[in-house]
Amino acid sequence: MKLTTAQALVSWLIAQRAETLDGREVPLFPAVFGIFGHGNVLGLGTALSERRAEIPVWRGHTEEGMALAAVGLAKATQRRQVGIATSSIGPGALNMVTAAGVAHANRLPLLLLPGDTFVSRAPDPVLQQVEHFDDPTRTVNDAFRAVSRYFDRITRPEQLIATLPQVVRVLTDPADAGPVVLALPQDVQAETYDFPDALFEPVVHRVPRPRPDQRILAEAAQVLRDAERPLLVLGGGVRYSGAGDSALEFAVRHGIPVTETTAGRTLIPHDHALYAGPLGITGAASANTLAAEADVVLAVGTRLQDFTTASWTVFAPEVRIVHINTARFDAVKHGALAVVGDADATLRDLEPELGDWLADSDWTARATAVRTEWDAHIDKLRAPAPGQPSYAQIVGVVNELSGPADYVMTASGGLPGELVGGWRAHGGAPTMDVEYGFSCMGYELAGAWGAAMAHPRGLVTTLLGDGSYLMLNSELFSAAFAGHPFVAVVCDNDGYAVIARLQEGQGADPFNNFYADCRTNHADPPRVDFAAHARSLGCSVFTAGELAEFRDAYARARTAATAEQRPAVVVVGTRPSTWTEAGAWWEVGVPQYLSGRADYDRSKPRQLRYTRPS
């Protein structure tokens, strides 16, 4: 079949299918987000135009925003579908590097197709080309190498035949999932080749479920049987495996208290007797209390990053860690007993090894006791009060008015701590996306666009601060234009409040975070009218001052988004200094002369260096 390189790539993309967690067959690549320039408009752009009925192309307004929308889509489909973003060479390509970092840190599949300079070099230097005096083969797309799971530059059409199986391997592998970058020189995009017909036959990709080594499984079972105070920690891998029900059944059968990481949130019903709350800095004091008392931690599908582990101070010094993970890279961290396998399959295999073993009933009951205390604390934070609402009160209203099929998101600033620590989930299905692996400001709006495409059963609500809104708001118009509804709650607290909290909490002077502490030549500096701006981007807009007004505005926004099939934005002023505290430590570099150094010196020695090897 004689096709251009671009035509062959598009034909292959269309032929790839995927199986969802519930067994449905869907396109592996359901959407392309594209901004065209001279480096991709005639090659890839023409090929996409020819097949527009078979693979939807959505126009964005920043390359970073488009790629972040693709990331949000992948998360909302539990990594069963992959969004694509394409750009021209130069600034368009480099704009997608941040999104690649988000996908890489969060282990989410993403396919990026940036244009590239001419392989022939005949017209060099072309528009937007950065020349390297020492290496003419290097282009700006090499910047993706640090944030790619798989990178290739297609310099001959026939190279697609060898690289495309590797592309789909990475995008569907539970251990290696992450961003793939295929750099496409614009002259090669237009070259033709006789491709084999078999390359374009439909293929259904099923995510593999690797099973653990039986000897290691038996050893893990023995560690658990020896435990007096075991704790189960559920991460994102449980979500992507569809293992939430299996994990809860496992916990119930053996009486093990359960906590969740940021990526594993909403898998367990909040009011379940074994649920101790979310773990870590942005989690709940209840889960952190149990973690400090546990003698064995069974971690399933988590990277155990510093916000989950409170910079590795949340666990007791003598703790044993058994880590189930598809990625051996994660499973071996800190000397854990590494059980390499799929979360669902491994928990099912571990079950018969444990037999009738049960944790001590007094320890089992601790989960409800400590979580009840935390719930009472959150209830106080959510209680109505005069004046601007707090983040906790905002989250409480959204939580109350959201149904079991609705989906909630945030990414940066103070909102992750409020959403992760305070949200009360219905359980049974993942309904939260807190991008706190890369904590990318701006993901909240772009990611919501992608999530809205992938989550038609319920309404998506995304919560963000004024700083994130100003970072990346263009995809509000993209979503409004395309007709993808969601609700965006913009919390205006007058600056980068959570960083000001960190700065001043460690004893530093307030500087360059709140607008009042920033340099300006104006006696009366300008302010942003977020409502007017969002309205100009085609959104329905509602404003609120006090908590009761917010409740009404959010309820109306939900109705408007659904009825009008476009984003609805609620702008609300929020308190700049009221936060939910989980009582955990976070290691940051504190100079000796700041007051926060004393706490640093007290906390640093508690940091877990290495657990007992198996």
Side-chain angles (χ1 to χ4, degrees), residues 49-260:
S49 174
E50 293 166 349
R51 307 293 295 274
R52 67 180 73 181
E54 298 163 273
I55 184 166
V57 178
W58 303 98
R59 187 188 126 159
H61 292 85
T62 65
E63 293 84 359
E64 178 185 351
M66 295 189 310
L68 289 175
V71 173
L73 184 153
K75 183 75 173 281
T77 62
Q78 326 316 328
R79 300 198 306 199
R80 268 26 184 208
Q81 291 183 287
V82 183
I84 303 169
T86 180
S87 74
S88 186
I89 183 62
L94 287 178
N95 281 347
M96 298 194 295
V97 171
T98 297
V102 171
H104 197 285
N106 290 281
R107 318 289 171 85
L108 292 169
L110 169 67
L111 179 57
L112 299 179
L113 304 175
D116 214 327
T117 55
F118 283 72
V119 168
S120 71
R121 303 186 195 166
D124 286 8
V126 296
L127 179 66
Q128 298 181 321
Q129 180 175 352
V130 174
E131 294 180 277
H132 295 272
F133 297 175
D134 63 326
D135 184 358
T137 68
R138 196 186 321 156
T139 77
V140 297
N141 285 333
D142 288 283
F144 283 107
R145 293 182 184 273
V147 286
S148 298
R149 289 285 188 200
Y150 185 82
F151 178 94
D152 198 2
R153 178 176 283 113
I154 305 302
T155 58
R156 293 289 307 153
E158 58 266 37
Q159 290 173 351
L160 283 181
I161 300 171
T163 204
L164 290 177
Q166 301 301 328
V167 168
V168 78
R169 169 188 64 83
V170 173
L171 294 175
T172 61
D173 191 305
D176 291 342
V180 170
V181 177
L182 288 186
L184 303 172
Q186 59 176 300
D187 51 346
V188 177
Q189 290 180 45
E191 290 183 20
T192 57
Y193 181 77
D194 287 322
F195 288 93
D197 293 348
L199 185 64
F200 312 115
E201 293 178 0
V203 178
V204 179
H205 300 279
R206 297 174 176 86
V207 174
R209 294 188 179 276
R211 306 193 93 91
D213 179 272
Q214 288 299 307
R215 292 171 300 175
I216 298 297
L217 198 68
E219 188 174 349
Q222 186 59 55
V223 172
L224 283 169
R225 283 194 297 269
D226 290 342
E228 296 180 1
R229 299 176 303 282
L231 183 66
L232 183 58
V233 178
L234 306 183
V238 178
R239 170 183 182 152
Y240 304 131
S241 173
D245 289 344
S246 298
L248 186 54
E249 290 169 7
F250 180 90
V252 169
R253 189 166 289 119
H254 301 293
I256 306 176
V258 184
T259 69
E260 296 170 320

Side-chain angles (χ1 to χ4, degrees), residues 17-67:
R17 311 287 292 174
E19 185 178 85
T20 64
L21 281 169
D22 58 4
R24 292 178 296 113
E25 185 181 313
V26 295
L28 179 61
F29 302 103
V32 178
F33 300 87
I35 292 177
F36 295 131
H38 67 91
N40 65 344
V41 66
L42 296 178
L44 187 60
T46 299
L48 287 168
S49 174
E50 293 166 349
R51 307 293 295 274
R52 67 180 73 181
E54 298 163 273
I55 184 166
V57 178
W58 303 98
R59 187 188 126 159
H61 292 85
T62 65
E63 293 84 359
E64 178 185 351
M66 295 189 310

Side-chain angles (χ1 to χ4, degrees), residues 78 239 245 265-268 404 425-432 455 457:
Q78 326 316 328
R239 170 183 182 152
D245 289 344
R265 279 295 269 125
T266 71
L267 293 170
I268 305 300
H426 296 277
T431 54
M432 181 184 290
H455 199 77
R457 293 180 294 109

